[in-house]
Amino acid sequence: MKKENQSDTPQAGGFRGSFSGKLGYVLAVAGSAVGLGNIWRFPYLAAKYGGGIFLLTYLVLMLTFGYALIVSETALGRMTKRSPVGAFGAFGKSVPFRFGGWINAVIPMLIVPYYSVIGGWVVKYLIEYVRGSTAALAEDGYFEAFLSEGFCAWVWFLVFGALVAAVLFAGVKQGVERVSKIMMPLLVILAVFVAGYSMSRPGAWEGVKYFLIPNFKNFSWMTVVAAMGQMFYSLSIAMGILYTYGSYIKKDVDIEKSTAQVELFDTAIAMLAGLMVIPAVFAFSGGDPNMLKAGPSLMFITLPKVFAGMGFGTGAGILFFLLVLLAALTSAISLAESGVSTFEDQFGFGRVKSALLMGIIMLVFGSASVFGFGALDFISVLGMSILDFFDFLTNSLMMPVAALATCLLVTRVVGLKRIAEEVEQSSGFRRKKMYCFFMRYLAPVCIVIILFSSIANVFGWITM
Ligand code: PHE
């Protein structure tokens, strides 16, 4: 239990020394939360799973279930001063406790490899904008050709991975956080500008309506499954991250308020991304259903078309992909850091050995995800490409289980009362009743339904 003894000493490269105060904490959590999930993943899921009805489902889930889980994880982290494996272990040593801790700890290790593949796509686009290939990027079929060629995408994946590794090794995380303070407001300003331009294209208004106005005809079970997975992903819930962050804060951080701030910021960025991408689908392809269902490639296909039509398209492209790259880096670093510290704490490995191990995991799974679109495209796992499979495995299967583990820990073992006491150490717990209701009833029911729906969907027992 190394962590416990070190609870007040800043760790080299770790998060513990980096929260200068309440604002520092909110910024660090926001830096982890805002990433590719908001800018790349949210718009494509919203486009695919029903537009406005997806948005509505997402918002409801975030304000209820998501809120309760963030508060729980942060409070458990602060209470035990440990990251997930240790936090679960603090309440019991039997198998269910070990399982609960480990499932939370393993998820980031499985996400960071394929996250870095998409980070690589971002680096590639940034470089192409710098080289002035604005028109070529907007051509039909450009992105597909890039993906299926494989080797080039692999090199960019390595570049992104090397950036993450460099930051982890050099321990310059503080510097990165300083960058993210400047980057986030800039990202918002640029996103407002690009979204405004995208919405003003002829035909784009249909897309704005599709994205913002719920249409119950578009509702399916998959809308809920996807919205819940996205909520976990985007807010960094159910993957141990918030336990770890919670373990670094002092009693003066108002958990409720900081949770609300992070949720607000994260959702604002996701919605802006939706307003950049979805109206563009309608403007450039008249809302073609195939295009709406394009999946992971959507952002990389539509935004270049938007930039190509703009006066300062190349400049906007450079700035946009640079900011997305920074946002992706801060998130990837927090994912990788979480893996590294699990190795350090649980196996007693040194920092270098832990980082190397994380690097090997990234290399193996990441390479498989890259070549899943090229040389390995004959491999399909449950009908999905390798990258999609990792995304599905973590978001739709493992995260509900991890969230369920947290709910059970809170309701059955720790007790809602103790969590409330922890929150109340820093502020009045304004939404206590709501919190208890969600944890006790809503969350377990939601999670179990979602888990079974996603399994049933994969095996074709039900069509959604
Ligand atoms: N929340 C991040 C995003 O939206 C992804 C992430 C998850 C980052 C967990 C860190 C930890 O991109």
Side-chain angles (χ1 to χ4, degrees):
M1 292 298 126
K2 228 167 72 193
K3 272 264 160 72
E4 203 179 25
N5 306 334
Q6 292 185 344
S7 57
D8 286 310
T9 15
Q11 285 176 318
F15 297 116
R16 194 152 289 164
S18 56
F19 298 148
S20 40
K22 297 175 206 173
L23 183 66
Y25 169 69
V26 172
L27 280 171
V29 178
S32 157
V34 174
L36 293 170
N38 309 59
I39 302 157
W40 155 76
R41 203 170 185 275
F42 180 86
Y44 94 68
L45 289 175
K48 191 167 172 183
Y49 293 112
I53 193 72
F54 176 91
L55 179 63
L56 182 67
T57 315
Y58 180 85
L59 293 177
V60 170
L61 281 172
M62 176 200 66
L63 291 171
T64 55
F65 184 25
Y67 185 81
L69 274 173
I70 301 185
V71 169
S72 304
E73 294 194 7
T74 315
L76 283 168
R78 189 170 76 173
M79 188 189 287
T80 58
K81 291 252 167 293
R82 308 207 188 135
S83 34
V85 181
F88 273 81
F91 297 103
K93 295 273 169 271
S94 57
V95 175
F97 290 97
R98 281 173 191 273
F99 177 80
W102 275 105
I103 186 152
N104 274 281
V106 165
I107 294 172
M109 300 179 197
L110 293 179
I111 292 185
V112 73
Y114 84 84
Y115 200 89
S116 303
V117 173
I118 299 146
W121 300 350
V122 173
V123 183
K124 150 90 181 172
Y125 271 60
L126 171 61
I127 302 290
E128 289 299 335
Y129 276 106
V130 171
R131 292 172 54 192
S133 325
T134 314
L137 290 172
E139 277 166 21
D140 286 334
Y142 182 93
F143 185 70
E144 289 80 357
F146 161 66
L147 272 198
S148 57
E149 189 267 331
F151 184 72
C152 180
W154 188 65
V155 173
W156 293 117
F157 152 67
L158 292 184
V159 171
F160 185 87
L163 286 173
V164 175
V167 175
L168 282 186
F169 270 118
V172 287
K173 231 194 129 273
Q174 301 245 359
V176 173
E177 260 152 35
R178 232 168 280 143
V179 171
S180 82
K181 276 181 211 168
I182 308 168
M183 169 205 88
M184 291 213 258
L186 266 182
L187 184 64
V188 174
I189 297 170
L190 186 71
V192 169
F193 181 70
V194 178
Y197 181 81
S198 176
M199 288 190 288
S200 66
R201 297 300 81 207
W205 203 243
E206 281 308 307
V208 178
K209 285 199 273 182
Y210 176 75
F211 176 52
L212 293 181
I213 303 173
N215 180 345
F216 289 88
K217 269 197 285 182
N218 292 335
F219 182 84
S220 75
W221 261 118
M222 231 17 225
T223 309
V224 187
V225 174
M228 167 135 21
Q230 173 61 17
M231 180 195 77
F232 290 150
Y233 191 96
S234 187
L235 291 167
S236 313
I237 306 175
M239 43 188 114
I241 300 276
L242 297 170
Y243 282 90
T244 313
Y245 276 56
S247 77
Y248 300 139
I249 55 175
K250 300 212 186 81
K251 303 289 179 196
D252 63 342
V253 172
D254 180 337
I255 296 184
E256 257 196 314
K257 199 160 131 202
S258 58
T259 302
Q261 286 166 343
V262 170
E263 281 197 320
L264 186 73
F265 196 64
D266 192 72
T267 309
I269 304 248
M271 287 188 64
L272 279 172
L275 288 174
M276 288 193 283
V277 172
I278 298 177
V281 177
F282 283 76
F284 294 104
S285 69
D288 173 6
N290 285 332
M291 201 53 208
L292 282 174
K293 297 209 178 323
S297 47
L298 193 64
M299 171 184 123
F300 295 89
I301 296 175
T302 51
L303 282 186
K305 293 193 198 295
V306 174
F307 293 138
M310 284 167 76
F312 299 100
T314 305
I318 295 174
L319 194 57
F320 178 78
F321 280 99
L322 180 67
L323 293 171
V324 175
L325 176 63
L326 292 174
L329 268 177
T330 52
S331 294
I333 289 159
S334 89
L335 282 164
E337 172 70 37
S338 138
V340 171
S341 56
T342 303
F343 292 136
E344 284 181 312
D345 293 348
Q346 302 308 318
F347 301 133
F349 293 169
R351 184 155 185 90
V352 173
K353 190 169 169 190
S354 306
L356 277 178
L357 193 59
M358 193 61 239
I360 294 171
I361 296 177
M362 275 172 79
L363 192 63
V364 173
F365 290 150
S367 303
S369 304
V370 172
F371 291 110
F373 292 111
L376 299 178
D377 67 358
F378 58 90
I379 299 182
S380 107
V381 195
L382 302 171
M384 288 173 251
S385 72
I386 300 177
L387 189 144
D388 282 336
F389 171 71
F390 275 119
D391 192 69
F392 175 80
L393 174 72
T394 46
N395 287 274
S396 301
L397 298 181
M398 293 175 76
M399 288 185 201
V401 176
L404 188 60
T406 296
C407 283
L408 292 176
L409 182 69
V410 167
T411 50
R412 298 289 156 87
V413 183
V414 183
L416 289 163
K417 206 167 141 251
R418 268 175 80 191
I419 301 282
E421 280 163 13
E422 180 64 42
V423 176
E424 279 161 355
Q425 291 195 4
S426 36
S427 66
F429 196 171
R430 291 173 293 275
R431 295 191 229 173
K432 185 160 141 186
K433 282 213 182 87
M434 203 180 95
Y435 168 81
C436 294
F437 173 78
F438 292 143
M439 289 305 283
R440 206 174 278 144
Y441 305 107
L442 184 78
V445 174
C446 270
I447 296 169
V448 171
I449 295 177
I450 295 312
L451 193 57
F452 280 106
S453 325
S454 36
I455 296 174
N457 183 41
V458 166
F459 293 105
W461 300 329
I462 50 169
T463 38
M464 295 189 280

